[in-house]
Amino acid sequence: MIFEDVTLNDGYKMPAIAYGTGSKWKGKSVVEYVQTAIDVGFSHLDTAQFYQTEEDVGQAIRESGLARDEFFVTTKYSGGVPVQVAFKNSLQKLGLKHVDLYLIHNPRIIGDKLLPAVWQQLEKFRWDGTARSIGVSNFEVEHFKTIFSVARIIPAVNQIHLHPYNYAESKPVLDFCAQHKIVVEAYSSLDPITKYPGGPVDAPLAAAAAKRNATPVQALFLWVRAKGVVIVTTSSTRSHMEEYLAISELEPLTAEEVAAIDEAGAKGPPAPTLTARARALFTTHNAIAAVVLVLMLLQLFFRMPFLRVL
């Protein structure tokens, strides 16, 4: 199963699907999961200072026995300490002399005042070769304009949250990135299935999947690919990892199928429903409130003295 590379605006190539070790895994060991991802064919590994998974990614790379140039490694600056310190720590934890892509993780954490200076420091990493490509994450158009005031290098990548339900609101930044040849990466693209099941996009995804003898998950990733966007995904299960990579063998979505998913996504996700725990909590609170109300009524109407101590 071979996923094609995409060419960045700096000339380097990046695999079009990445195995992410994001917030879901923060504080947990992901060595085994990353090893499995490498074994099934992932070569693009995504981590970040914030995730606290850089050491695990580095360990999995070393224990794979594969050469460094077999991997494309992304990590991110998440703030809290000067970027020079964070980057040095990231390289040490990964056990690498360079990363393939270094991103500003979130402009809202860094702040508009510091963004230009942070970007200038990323440019220095780019020039000295410790970060072959540099980019951003979670950037809107206004954040690009902030760093463009000082930038000598255009970001190569913008990694964003993208799925059919937020596609319309993401269009301005997608169009801006296309204009400047900035490759977009998408994380949490499976939200319509994992977080918002039963919504309008279920039907067009199911139809596209049935046509290809595929799964709705694969159809959703085909939608991401149809938008020219790189996939960042994760799983702890080997079969799911294989399912993700297998989309490289599937027929791309037609323009009509993409349009149907877009149209359904524009209707928005289904109304949130209470989880089982929330329902139980809600029921418990109602029961307590009912008991308190009964006691108050008893005290009011029957003036039962022993209830006054409650």
Side-chain angles (χ1 to χ4, degrees):
M1 296 175 286
I2 300 175
F3 243 90
E4 80 285 0
D5 291 341
V6 297
T7 301
L8 305 178
N9 59 18
D10 57 17
Y12 285 107
K13 293 183 181 297
M14 178 175 74
I17 189 169
Y19 180 78
T21 60
S23 300
K24 174 180 179 179
W25 305 121
K26 184 178 180 181
K28 301 177 182 178
S29 174
V30 297
V31 175
E32 180 182 354
Y33 305 152
V34 179
Q35 289 173 332
T36 301
I38 293 171
D39 190 48
V40 301
F42 280 91
S43 60
H44 183 173
L45 305 175
D46 182 281
T47 182
Q49 169 197 353
F50 176 76
Y51 302 158
Q52 300 177 12
T53 55
E54 291 170 318
E55 287 182 297
D56 287 359
V57 170
Q59 180 180 338
I61 290 173
R62 289 190 299 275
E63 293 181 356
S64 72
L66 299 174
R68 170 64 181 90
D69 60 10
E70 298 275 350
F71 296 99
F72 187 100
V73 180
T74 296
T75 193
K76 311 175 190 76
Y77 173 56
S78 307
V81 297
V83 63
Q84 300 94 323
V85 175
F87 186 55
K88 181 180 179 180
N89 289 341
S90 290
L91 289 178
Q92 288 177 341
K93 290 177 180 179
L94 287 163
L96 301 176
K97 294 181 179 179
H98 77 273
V99 293
D100 299 283
L101 179 62
Y102 194 54
L103 307 178
I104 296 176
H105 201 162
N106 193 316
R108 296 163 187 83
I109 294 175
I110 307 304
D112 288 345
K113 290 184 178 179
L114 292 179
L115 268 182
V118 169
W119 181 254
Q120 288 177 315
Q121 185 58 54
L122 261 66
E123 291 183 333
K124 293 179 182 178
F125 300 149
R126 172 76 173 82
W127 289 326
D128 69 22
T130 48
R132 288 190 172 174
S133 298
I134 55 176
V136 297
S137 181
N138 299 301
F139 263 48
E140 302 290 345
V141 173
E142 63 267 24
H143 302 124
F144 281 109
K145 291 180 177 178
T146 298
I147 66 169
F148 276 14
S149 64
V150 300
R152 297 173 63 185
I153 298 174
I154 299 297
V157 164
N158 185 21
Q159 187 177 124
I160 65 173
H161 184 199
L162 182 68
H163 53 72
Y165 289 132
N166 74 356
Y167 173 68
E169 66 187 70
S170 301
K171 275 288 287 175
V173 73
L174 290 170
D175 292 343
F176 184 91
C177 289
Q179 178 185 351
H180 293 278
K181 299 181 179 179
I182 299 168
V183 170
V184 174
E185 293 183 292
Y187 66 85
S188 297
S189 293
L190 296 182
D191 277 2
I193 293 173
T194 59
K195 291 185 178 180
Y196 310 115
V201 302
D202 285 14
L205 286 177
K211 180 180 175 182
R212 293 160 179 80
N213 194 27
T215 66
V217 164
Q218 290 174 320
L220 189 45
F221 279 148
L222 287 176
W223 176 86
V224 176
R225 294 187 75 192
K227 298 299 182 182
V229 173
V230 170
I231 298 165
V232 181
T233 188
T234 193
S235 177
S236 60
T237 307
R238 184 185 186 96
S239 61
H240 287 162
M241 297 180 195
E242 292 172 340
E243 176 187 8
Y244 304 158
L245 290 180
I247 67 170
S248 64
E249 302 170 355
L250 297 176
E251 175 191 348
L253 297 185
T254 65
E256 292 75 17
E257 289 171 323
V258 173
I261 295 170
D262 290 351
E263 183 179 352
K267 297 176 182 177
T273 57
L274 290 173
T275 63
R277 184 179 177 210
R279 284 194 299 270
L281 200 58
F282 183 73
T283 302
T284 301
H285 285 173
N286 280 352
I288 293 172
V291 170
V292 171
L293 180 60
V294 168
L295 293 176
M296 289 175 64
L297 289 173
L298 286 172
Q299 186 175 28
L300 179 63
F301 291 107
F302 297 98
R303 299 185 180 277
M304 300 174 72
F306 70 89
L307 287 173
R308 293 195 184 108
V309 302
L310 295 178

XYZ file of all heavy atoms in Angstrom, residues 71-118:
378
model
N 11.987 8.030 7.179
C 10.926 8.668 7.946
C 10.816 10.152 7.641
O 11.809 10.825 7.343
C 11.181 8.509 9.455
C 11.138 7.095 9.932
C 12.313 6.377 10.120
C 9.935 6.460 10.173
C 12.287 5.069 10.555
C 9.889 5.146 10.611
C 11.066 4.448 10.798
N 9.581 10.645 7.740
C 9.313 12.081 7.723
C 8.740 12.398 9.095
O 7.657 11.923 9.458
C 8.304 12.435 6.627
C 8.104 13.912 6.424
C 8.730 14.580 5.389
C 7.270 14.639 7.278
C 8.542 15.943 5.198
C 7.082 15.994 7.097
C 7.720 16.661 6.053
N 9.462 13.189 9.879
C 9.079 13.450 11.269
C 8.658 14.906 11.434
O 9.404 15.822 11.095
C 10.228 13.128 12.233
C 9.804 13.412 13.684
C 10.666 11.677 12.086
N 7.450 15.080 11.973
C 6.916 16.402 12.278
C 6.799 16.561 13.781
O 6.319 15.660 14.472
C 5.509 16.587 11.669
O 5.589 16.525 10.249
C 4.905 17.930 12.070
N 7.238 17.711 14.302
C 6.913 18.076 15.671
C 6.561 19.556 15.701
O 6.677 20.246 14.694
C 8.033 17.719 16.674
O 7.510 17.822 18.007
C 9.255 18.595 16.511
N 6.108 20.024 16.874
C 5.523 21.369 16.941
C 5.962 22.107 18.203
O 6.143 21.480 19.258
C 3.993 21.274 16.927
C 3.422 20.393 15.830
C 1.915 20.256 15.960
C 1.368 19.195 15.027
N 1.649 17.822 15.524
N 6.065 23.424 18.058
C 6.317 24.300 19.196
C 4.991 24.687 19.825
O 4.148 25.295 19.179
C 7.073 25.551 18.749
C 7.224 26.590 19.830
C 7.826 26.276 21.047
C 6.761 27.892 19.639
C 7.967 27.227 22.049
C 6.897 28.856 20.636
C 7.502 28.519 21.838
O 7.645 29.464 22.824
N 4.824 24.334 21.101
C 3.547 24.553 21.776
C 3.600 25.641 22.839
O 2.638 25.816 23.594
C 3.069 23.234 22.409
O 3.050 22.184 21.453
N 4.708 26.388 22.909
C 4.790 27.503 23.841
C 5.281 27.097 25.214
O 5.763 25.983 25.438
N 5.181 28.051 26.163
C 5.574 27.779 27.540
C 7.010 28.134 27.854
O 7.330 28.594 28.952
N 7.900 27.885 26.908
C 9.327 28.215 27.022
C 9.751 28.834 25.702
O 9.050 28.705 24.695
C 10.178 26.964 27.328
C 9.804 26.363 28.680
C 10.035 25.916 26.233
N 10.902 29.538 25.676
C 11.373 30.090 24.403
C 11.478 29.004 23.340
O 11.812 27.855 23.635
C 12.750 30.675 24.758
C 12.640 31.013 26.210
C 11.773 29.927 26.801
N 11.188 29.376 22.102
C 11.157 28.390 21.032
C 12.509 27.711 20.845
O 12.579 26.524 20.513
C 10.660 29.036 19.710
C 11.604 30.122 19.222
C 10.445 27.977 18.639
N 13.613 28.441 21.071
C 14.939 27.821 20.931
C 15.100 26.673 21.925
O 15.657 25.621 21.585
C 16.049 28.863 21.165
C 16.024 30.027 20.194
C 15.252 31.213 20.728
O 14.233 31.041 21.406
N 15.733 32.416 20.434
N 14.626 26.885 23.143
C 14.719 25.850 24.182
C 13.821 24.669 23.834
O 14.239 23.504 23.929
C 14.326 26.434 25.557
C 14.292 25.333 26.623
C 15.287 27.540 25.961
N 12.604 24.958 23.430
C 11.651 23.897 23.102
C 12.159 23.045 21.944
O 12.048 21.809 21.977
C 10.296 24.499 22.752
N 12.703 23.693 20.923
C 13.173 22.955 19.753
C 14.355 22.059 20.110
O 14.424 20.894 19.689
C 13.557 23.928 18.648
C 13.922 23.268 17.342
C 13.050 22.398 16.717
C 15.152 23.513 16.746
C 13.384 21.785 15.515
C 15.500 22.905 15.548
C 14.612 22.041 14.932
N 15.280 22.585 20.895
C 16.425 21.776 21.336
C 15.951 20.564 22.134
O 16.427 19.439 21.928
C 17.374 22.631 22.190
C 18.603 21.882 22.678
C 19.507 22.794 23.511
C 20.728 22.037 24.021
N 21.610 22.917 24.844
N 14.986 20.801 23.021
C 14.447 19.687 23.816
C 13.759 18.656 22.928
O 13.876 17.442 23.163
C 13.456 20.217 24.849
C 14.117 20.996 25.963
O 15.329 20.876 26.180
N 13.347 21.811 26.666
N 13.033 19.133 21.914
C 12.339 18.214 21.014
C 13.332 17.324 20.266
O 13.125 16.114 20.141
C 11.471 18.996 20.019
O 10.362 19.585 20.666
N 14.401 17.927 19.764
C 15.408 17.135 19.060
C 16.031 16.098 19.989
O 16.257 14.948 19.590
C 16.496 18.048 18.488
C 16.105 18.935 17.304
C 17.287 19.821 16.902
C 15.665 18.103 16.106
N 16.309 16.491 21.226
C 16.908 15.557 22.188
C 15.955 14.403 22.501
O 16.367 13.233 22.547
C 17.283 16.301 23.463
C 18.483 17.225 23.311
C 18.789 18.000 24.589
O 17.943 18.134 25.477
N 19.999 18.522 24.680
N 14.690 14.719 22.706
C 13.724 13.673 23.026
C 13.508 12.725 21.851
O 13.349 11.517 22.039
C 12.399 14.308 23.451
C 12.467 14.992 24.800
C 11.158 15.681 25.160
C 11.246 16.350 26.520
N 9.992 17.042 26.891
N 13.504 13.271 20.648
C 13.346 12.440 19.454
C 14.625 11.663 19.138
O 14.576 10.650 18.428
C 12.976 13.315 18.254
C 11.549 13.860 18.232
C 11.442 15.031 17.249
C 10.559 12.765 17.857
N 15.750 12.152 19.637
C 17.031 11.520 19.322
C 17.451 11.775 17.888
O 18.110 10.941 17.270
N 17.076 12.946 17.354
C 17.345 13.284 15.959
C 18.183 14.549 15.853
O 18.144 15.417 16.727
C 16.022 13.502 15.201
C 15.038 12.329 15.174
C 13.746 12.753 14.466
C 15.648 11.110 14.494
N 18.927 14.645 14.752
C 19.710 15.852 14.490
C 18.890 16.895 13.746
O 19.229 18.089 13.760
C 20.960 15.503 13.683
C 21.954 14.628 14.444
C 23.188 14.331 13.601
C 24.178 13.469 14.377
N 25.387 13.157 13.562
N 17.816 16.436 13.108
C 16.921 17.367 12.426
C 15.522 16.766 12.369
O 15.358 15.548 12.477
C 17.415 17.674 11.003
C 17.131 16.573 10.026
N 17.984 15.500 9.834
C 16.065 16.367 9.189
C 17.471 14.685 8.918
N 16.310 15.185 8.519
N 14.529 17.632 12.217
C 13.175 17.165 11.931
C 12.845 17.578 10.502
O 13.422 18.519 9.950
C 12.125 17.738 12.907
C 12.356 17.185 14.302
C 12.119 19.257 12.913
N 11.910 16.871 9.914
C 11.523 17.182 8.537
C 10.562 18.360 8.474
O 10.532 19.078 7.463
C 10.895 15.932 7.894
C 11.886 14.794 7.848
O 12.773 14.811 6.983
O 11.792 13.901 8.714
N 9.795 18.550 9.549
C 8.829 19.644 9.570
C 8.641 20.112 11.007
O 8.388 19.309 11.902
C 7.485 19.175 8.992
C 6.340 20.182 8.949
C 6.689 21.377 8.062
C 5.053 19.512 8.428
N 8.773 21.434 11.198
C 8.567 22.025 12.521
C 7.476 23.077 12.403
O 7.546 23.968 11.553
C 9.858 22.655 13.040
C 9.828 22.990 14.521
C 9.495 22.028 15.470
C 10.164 24.269 14.975
C 9.483 22.321 16.826
C 10.161 24.574 16.335
C 9.825 23.596 17.250
O 9.811 23.877 18.602
N 6.452 22.958 13.260
C 5.275 23.812 13.171
C 5.085 24.651 14.430
O 5.421 24.203 15.525
C 4.011 22.966 12.965
C 3.977 21.956 11.828
C 2.644 21.205 11.841
C 4.192 22.643 10.481
N 4.527 25.851 14.260
C 3.946 26.580 15.390
C 2.606 25.910 15.670
O 1.732 25.877 14.807
C 3.741 28.068 15.054
C 5.085 28.756 14.812
C 2.990 28.757 16.191
C 4.958 30.205 14.372
N 2.436 25.399 16.877
C 1.297 24.529 17.157
C -0.041 25.269 17.157
O -1.026 24.789 16.601
C 1.497 23.830 18.509
C 0.690 22.603 18.679
N 0.965 21.646 19.624
C -0.402 22.137 18.026
C 0.089 20.665 19.546
N -0.759 20.944 18.596
N -0.069 26.425 17.829
C -1.337 27.160 17.907
C -1.047 28.641 18.124
O -0.460 29.012 19.140
C -2.199 26.621 19.048
C -3.635 27.105 18.987
O -3.901 28.270 18.737
N -4.577 26.197 19.225
N -1.470 29.507 17.203
C -1.161 30.934 17.333
C -1.814 31.581 18.541
O -1.307 32.575 19.072
C -1.714 31.522 16.025
C -2.808 30.578 15.625
C -2.312 29.228 16.026
N -2.929 31.027 18.994
C -3.637 31.615 20.134
C -2.854 31.416 21.423
O -2.960 32.227 22.352
C -5.044 31.009 20.239
C -5.922 31.333 19.033
C -7.133 30.437 18.919
N -7.855 30.666 17.668
C -7.518 30.116 16.509
N -6.470 29.307 16.429
N -8.206 30.379 15.415
N -2.092 30.335 21.491
C -1.251 30.090 22.666
C -0.033 31.010 22.642
O 0.374 31.546 23.673
C -0.811 28.609 22.716
C -2.022 27.705 22.941
C 0.227 28.390 23.815
C -1.704 26.230 22.883
N 0.547 31.199 21.470
C 1.743 32.033 21.349
C 1.392 33.501 21.536
O 2.110 34.248 22.208
C 2.412 31.822 19.968
C 2.673 30.336 19.711
C 3.707 32.629 19.876
C 3.501 29.640 20.745
N 0.294 33.950 20.934
C -0.122 35.339 21.018
C 0.380 36.156 19.841
O 1.490 35.925 19.338
N -0.423 37.106 19.391
C -0.079 37.900 18.208
C 1.226 38.666 18.368
O 1.964 38.856 17.394
C -1.219 38.878 17.891
C -2.448 38.184 17.332
O -2.330 37.006 16.924
O -3.527 38.803 17.308
N 1.523 39.125 19.573
C 2.731 39.924 19.774
C 4.000 39.102 19.559
O 5.010 39.623 19.072
C 2.729 40.546 21.168
C 1.691 41.641 21.357
C 1.817 42.281 22.732
C 0.808 43.408 22.896
N 0.902 44.049 24.248
N 3.949 37.840 19.942
C 5.145 36.996 19.851
C 5.245 36.237 18.531
O 6.327 35.750 18.178
C 5.170 35.995 21.009
C 5.385 36.573 22.402
C 5.355 35.464 23.443
C 6.703 37.330 22.478
N 4.141 36.116 17.811
C 4.134 35.294 16.598
C 5.236 35.674 15.600
O 5.945 34.789 15.102
C 2.771 35.356 15.911
C 1.731 34.296 16.287
C 0.462 34.501 15.470
C 2.269 32.890 16.084
N 5.395 36.972 15.267
C 6.435 37.319 14.282
C 7.826 36.868 14.710
O 8.587 36.315 13.903
C 6.330 38.848 14.195
C 4.917 39.145 14.579
C 4.598 38.152 15.646
N 8.174 37.077 15.982
C 9.505 36.699 16.460
C 9.682 35.186 16.455
O 10.766 34.672 16.117
C 9.734 37.254 17.864
N 8.629 34.467 16.829
C 8.704 33.002 16.815
C 8.900 32.509 15.390
O 9.722 31.616 15.137
C 7.438 32.382 17.448
C 7.398 30.871 17.196
C 7.391 32.668 18.938
